[in-house]
Amino acid sequence: MKRLLLLFLTVLLALTASAQKSKKFVHGTLIPPAVEPRIIAVETTSSSLILSVRENGSVFQLHFGTKVNETEFAAIPSYAGRYGNGAPAYPATGGRFLGEPALHLRYADGMHNTELHYIGHETTEAAGVKTTTVRLLDYVTKLRVDLVYEAYPEEDVILTHTRIYNAGDKPVTLLSYASGAMTFTSDRYLLTHVNGSWAQEMQVESELLTHHLKVLEDRRGVQNTQLGNPAFLLSLGTSELSETEGEVIAGALAWSGNWRLSFERDAENRLTVLGGISPFASEYPLKADASFRTPDMIWTYSDKGAGQASRNLHRWARRYGVYGGGEVNPILLNSWEGAYFTFTTETLLRMIDDAASMGLEMFVLDDGWFGNKYPRNSDNAALGDWQVNAAKLPEGIDHIAQYAHSKGLKFGIWIEPEMVNPKSELAEKHPEWVVQSPGREIYTERTQWVLDLSNPAVQDFVFGVFDSVMQLSPAIDYIKWDCNRPIESFGSPYLGAEQDRFYIEYVQGFYKVMERIRAKYPSVLVQCCSSGGGRVDYGSLKYFNEVWTSDDTDGFERVFMQYGTSLFYPACVMAAHVSTVPNHQSRNVTPLKFRFDVAAQGRLGLELQPRYLSSEELAYVNRCVASYKEFRDVVFNGDLYRLGTPYGNDFYGMMYVSEDKSRAVVYTYCLRFRQLACDGVPFRLQGLDPDRKYRVVEQNLGDADRPDGAPVTASCWWGNGRSWSGSFLASGAFNPILPSLYSSAVFVLEAE
Ligand code: DGJ
């Protein structure tokens, strides 16, 4: 009996203990310490971002937009409801947040909840850039997140990124990890973004956002901007994209791999924008004591329409975002469309002679110069074997480069170091360097495979390609870095079971290589090409001087692509070449003048066989090149004003104005011709000083191949050659006659 009683008591004790234990589990909430509510303001000259720290430690964004007085925002009450005023500054899955998260993790115990609490913030300043770091902590999981806001006052740009630090003692998995979040309040949101394909990059489309989630994403691994771009414009309270009016936010992600932009419009009509690395196949493991820095997301706000938003981005890019930004880069002749894979030393030397006689400043030898066991005579062999092809170029590269220098030209050369043809010595030697998935076909595209840049040995190889090509001649001034396919059926032999790291570490590997290149070759010019504009983003532009905007050099198509590019990227990066007709991509025929007038919007170049130009054409080219040299500093460093959109319009114009407003260059085009009785087309010029007088001089007159056969010898504007006030030119009185399809005119304006 005694024994039975003892057993009963023991069981009761055990049950009570377990009940107490589970009771402690249910009620063992860790209440984070209360904090003093406060406002944190991140400011530029004309915009403010207002964050509010609440008593419970949550950090909300109250405002991003026009410049405000932050003190008034302290009076805004925070309701006990799900959000109250504002929206979480960096919404994390967990707690009361049920929307699209900026941050989503899985912890070692399988839980998904993160609740971030304010633990401090600080602002530092260096070289005029103010950096505010808001420190957050999840008290339960010990996850720490720093929200970093870098304010560029003069350019009205704010950069955001986060540092996610696992201060717990178990690994965690990052499922979503945006670079920043911004929330807006309006009744209408017009989203403008770009889509595209090869030879059709940067096609602009706008749409009004409905409720729920809109996602723009790229999953190509590399060539991340061939089909779209991690950049957007958001117009508030309107259904139309205006160049000059209304509130517009621009955003761009500095990342050269998979990206994701999301726009979630909630039941209260708030819109939250997130920008960051795409989490596609990238559940990123973060060990205890490890941290992850997200890439920069670049934001700007304009209350003067899309034009000002683009100008803000451009100014920031020229000063901070582009390697060598704003420096005038040489006018070049590229060998690709003029020679493709078929050339000898003699062919190249004659092209150099012609380039020199046309007043160009650089010759670039494109694809086809390398490979011996497997010569590079087409795109089906030799990628990976970066030795000079002795049959084609027995005298070597130095001979050609020195010849270019002797003619007063710089010299550039093409490489595609991230890729390998199956038919190459490299693929034979290092099959394990190829991106692949065990047991599966390694698909070729353009008969090539991708090298696994997540592997440090491949990073060394890729750096070595650049480095060894630079050793071919001390006269190499420019490298064209190409990248001609996306990643498919991804897999890294190097990463083993940790394939979730692949997409991110490929890009980090690419940046590591570029860091090494820039440390060793700070002044070599490097173009970022990827089948044209397949890698146009602010991640790569930190290392590259310019981009190859598109393989499509048709002047007509380029008007649209360059318009799309100009929404987010400055003219100084936009390589634009005059090529032959019919155009090799579109088969379209446009006048030589039109092709020049379009290419002169960016870094001008030629990409054709000069031998096929007539003597009239050569003389005309000379004139266009000479005139471009006179105004190109305004192209590279001026502010862009788009005078409308080419979409749906017969005529399009745009202009650059020097920062001091003393000089400008204006471009006008006829894209569709519908009536013979063509009066002048009024363009309202922008950005000029209304009170100053500008002498207006038309450029590039005298094209020999206008569609109507008549050389353009007289200006198409009655006011040409005289001086007019900025206000007059802005009134619509500037009305050049563009009398046929593909007629165009370029004017230089000089203040008196
Ligand atoms: C694709 C580039 O976009 C072209 O300009 C040219 O360099 C070819 N590759 C060469 O293969």
Side-chain angles (χ1 to χ4, degrees):
M1 182 66 191
K2 245 188 183 174
R3 260 197 191 169
L4 215 69
L5 193 68
L6 206 67
L7 187 69
F8 172 71
L9 279 175
T10 316
V11 170
L12 192 72
L13 220 74
L15 280 175
T16 320
S18 107
Q20 262 171 6
K21 219 170 166 190
S22 71
K23 202 169 162 202
K24 192 168 163 233
F25 184 70
V26 171
H27 293 290
T29 315
L30 223 171
I31 310 252
V35 296
E36 180 135 347
R38 71 191 74 202
I39 292 292
I40 302 170
V42 177
E43 294 186 324
T44 67
T45 307
S46 313
S47 69
S48 305
L49 167 68
I50 304 291
L51 304 175
S52 133
V53 180
R54 296 176 169 187
E55 206 174 23
N56 67 1
S58 59
V59 180
F60 270 52
Q61 181 210 302
L62 297 181
H63 169 84
F64 174 47
T66 191
K67 190 77 174 258
V68 292
N69 178 348
E70 71 199 66
T71 51
E72 288 169 307
F73 280 79
I76 295 181
S78 53
Y79 303 115
R82 183 169 289 143
Y83 296 156
N85 280 304
Y90 193 63
T93 294
R96 314 202 72 170
F97 182 74
L98 301 175
E100 181 67 8
L103 183 68
H104 181 188
L105 291 101
R106 187 173 54 239
Y107 293 92
D109 61 0
M111 300 305 287
H112 282 242
N113 291 307
T114 299
E115 290 187 59
L116 297 171
H117 291 265
Y118 172 89
I119 53 170
H121 80 277
E122 76 238 0
T123 301
T124 56
E125 190 172 342
V129 182
K130 275 195 182 168
T131 303
T132 302
T133 305
V134 181
R135 304 197 186 284
L136 307 173
L137 168 70
D138 184 315
Y139 278 91
V140 174
T141 62
K142 304 285 181 285
L143 186 90
R144 287 183 50 175
V145 177
D146 287 347
L147 306 183
V148 184
Y149 300 88
E150 276 175 43
Y152 294 78
E154 254 187 63
E155 296 78 19
D156 279 319
V157 161
I158 295 174
L159 262 54
T160 60
H161 76 263
T162 58
R163 192 175 297 280
I164 304 163
Y165 170 52
N166 180 8
D169 51 13
K170 301 227 168 60
V172 301
T173 307
L174 302 181
L175 303 178
S176 297
Y177 30 93
S179 294
M182 293 284 180
T183 297
F184 305 95
T185 313
S186 181
D187 58 343
R188 248 172 308 173
Y189 301 97
L190 182 77
L191 174 66
T192 301
H193 55 98
V194 296
N195 66 82
S197 62
W198 174 73
Q200 280 285 304
E201 295 88 339
M202 296 282 190
Q203 305 295 311
V204 178
E205 53 190 351
S206 293
E207 62 191 290
L208 276 174
L209 292 173
T210 56
H211 285 88
H212 297 292
L213 193 61
K214 165 87 189 174
V215 174
L216 307 176
E217 190 169 34
D218 192 84
R219 298 176 172 201
R220 290 161 64 87
V222 294
Q223 287 212 315
N224 61 324
T225 69
Q226 193 100 68
L227 309 187
N229 199 279
F232 69 89
L233 297 176
L234 184 70
S235 311
L236 305 185
T238 178
S239 315
E240 276 180 35
L241 181 66
S242 166
E243 281 297 327
T244 50
E245 281 164 24
E247 294 189 290
V248 177
I249 292 92
L253 181 73
W255 184 246
S256 309
N258 293 339
W259 51 265
R260 190 174 199 264
L261 302 174
S262 72
F263 305 83
E264 186 173 37
R265 182 170 165 181
D266 70 14
E268 279 84 31
N269 276 330
R270 274 179 299 237
L271 186 84
T272 297
V273 183
L274 306 177
I277 295 175
S278 163
F280 167 67
S282 299
E283 296 194 354
Y284 198 79
L286 205 57
K287 295 193 179 92
D289 203 30
S291 65
F292 184 81
R293 186 212 193 272
T294 61
D296 289 324
M297 181 76 196
I298 303 140
W299 309 84
T300 187
Y301 165 83
S302 150
D303 59 3
K304 297 182 191 67
Q308 188 61 49
S310 297
R311 284 189 289 281
N312 292 349
L313 284 184
H314 295 174
R315 277 199 184 195
W316 172 83
R318 287 197 298 269
R319 292 174 189 170
Y320 304 98
V322 175
Y323 196 88
E327 275 166 28
V328 169
N329 293 329
I331 310 168
L332 60 85
L333 174 66
N334 177 294
S335 68
W336 182 239
E337 288 199 16
Y340 290 108
F341 294 103
T342 314
F343 52 79
T344 59
T345 301
E346 196 47 31
T347 323
L348 303 179
L349 300 188
R350 292 300 67 83
M351 286 179 105
I352 289 169
D353 288 340
D354 292 335
S357 74
M358 291 186 294
L360 308 188
E361 298 160 323
M362 180 154 71
F363 175 72
V364 177
L365 170 55
D366 210 283
D367 199 350
W369 59 266
F370 52 94
N372 285 304
K373 179 174 176 190
Y374 304 109
R376 182 75 171 168
N377 292 329
S378 77
D379 61 19
N380 73 4
L383 282 180
D385 304 345
W386 298 100
Q387 299 81 34
V388 184
N389 179 294
K392 274 190 209 177
L393 307 174
E395 299 84 354
I397 294 298
D398 187 49
H399 175 72
I400 303 161
Q402 296 295 356
Y403 187 77
H405 275 215
S406 75
K407 295 282 169 178
L409 299 185
K410 291 182 186 299
F411 179 79
I413 192 163
W414 179 96
I415 54 173
E416 192 179 1
E418 293 157 88
M419 302 282 162
V420 60
N421 284 118
K423 208 164 153 193
S424 66
E425 293 182 76
L426 182 68
E428 287 166 358
K429 197 166 159 210
H430 283 296
E432 78 287 6
W433 282 3
V434 176
V435 172
Q436 58 195 282
S437 181
R440 298 185 190 282
E441 180 177 349
I442 315 177
Y443 299 108
T444 55
E445 192 165 318
R446 210 189 186 222
T447 50
Q448 66 195 53
W449 291 329
V450 185
L451 291 176
D452 174 13
L453 257 184
S454 72
N455 180 344
V458 175
Q459 292 163 22
D460 286 346
F461 171 80
V462 171
F463 170 76
V465 172
F466 193 105
D467 199 26
S468 61
V469 168
M470 287 300 295
Q471 310 314 315
L472 292 175
S473 166
I476 294 179
D477 306 291
Y478 174 103
I479 296 277
K480 174 174 174 177
W481 179 305
D482 210 341
C483 170
N484 280 305
R485 63 158 294 173
I487 293 170
E488 291 165 346
S489 187
F490 79 94
S492 157
Y494 170 74
L495 288 173
E498 293 197 40
Q499 297 299 322
D500 274 309
R501 285 165 40 201
F502 172 75
Y503 280 120
I504 290 173
E505 290 183 19
Y506 185 101
V507 179
Q508 289 171 340
F510 172 57
Y511 292 158
K512 279 183 200 157
V513 171
M514 294 314 299
E515 288 287 335
R516 286 168 73 184
I517 287 171
R518 280 317 188 182
K520 187 158 181 190
Y521 301 104
S523 55
V524 67
L525 298 167
V526 191
Q527 182 188 71
C528 189
C529 171
S530 178
S531 301
R535 198 185 247 166
V536 181
D537 62 67
Y538 281 117
S540 49
L541 281 169
K542 267 183 220 154
Y543 307 102
F544 290 86
N545 300 75
E546 61 173 31
V547 300
W548 180 221
T549 314
S550 174
D551 272 354
D552 193 340
T553 44
D554 172 7
F556 174 72
E557 294 294 343
R558 272 300 185 108
V559 167
F560 292 84
M561 287 187 267
Q562 293 179 185
Y563 165 80
T565 305
S566 83
L567 297 182
F568 312 113
Y569 300 97
C572 66
V573 306
M574 197 168 70
H577 296 178
V578 173
S579 60
T580 193
V581 288
N583 182 272
H584 290 187
Q585 285 72 38
S586 68
R587 314 308 301 162
N588 199 20
V589 177
T590 57
L592 187 57
K593 172 172 170 55
F594 186 82
R595 280 173 273 153
F596 259 104
D597 288 353
V598 173
Q601 282 180 21
R603 194 275 291 136
L604 178 67
L606 269 73
E607 191 162 331
L608 41 69
Q609 174 49 272
R611 260 184 304 146
Y612 300 147
L613 293 174
S614 67
S615 53
E616 290 81 22
E617 285 173 326
L618 279 172
Y620 183 68
V621 169
N622 263 298
R623 273 213 302 289
C624 291
V625 168
S627 111
Y628 175 78
K629 284 179 184 166
E630 296 299 312
F631 64 73
R632 66 176 160 181
D633 56 312
V634 186
V635 176
F636 277 80
N637 282 299
D639 285 324
L640 167 72
Y641 293 83
R642 291 176 294 258
L643 308 174
T645 165
Y647 284 91
N649 288 315
D650 297 346
F651 302 98
Y652 173 61
M654 42 92 59
M655 58 192 287
Y656 301 110
V657 182
S658 63
E659 286 191 15
D660 67 359
K661 296 192 182 295
S662 67
R663 298 171 71 220
V665 48
V666 180
Y667 306 75
T668 59
Y669 309 100
C670 176
L671 304 175
R672 194 165 74 131
F673 191 72
R674 299 166 73 196
Q675 47 158 324
L676 282 173
C678 181
D679 287 336
V681 185
F683 290 95
R684 292 172 184 272
L685 302 193
Q686 297 174 33
L688 301 173
D689 182 335
D691 300 324
R692 283 172 95 172
K693 282 204 155 191
Y694 295 86
R695 188 172 147 76
V696 180
V697 178
E698 189 175 345
Q699 311 292 303
N700 301 351
L701 293 174
D703 174 20
D705 76 344
R706 249 183 54 164
D708 60 7
V712 187
T713 46
S715 171
C716 64
W717 188 45
W718 57 267
N720 187 55
R722 287 148 66 190
S723 294
W724 306 97
S725 67
S727 58
F728 179 80
L729 294 167
S731 71
F734 174 76
N735 59 345
I737 293 174
L738 298 168
S740 53
L741 177 63
Y742 304 141
S743 52
S744 58
V746 173
F747 298 85
V748 167
L749 279 55
E750 301 261 3
E752 286 184 336

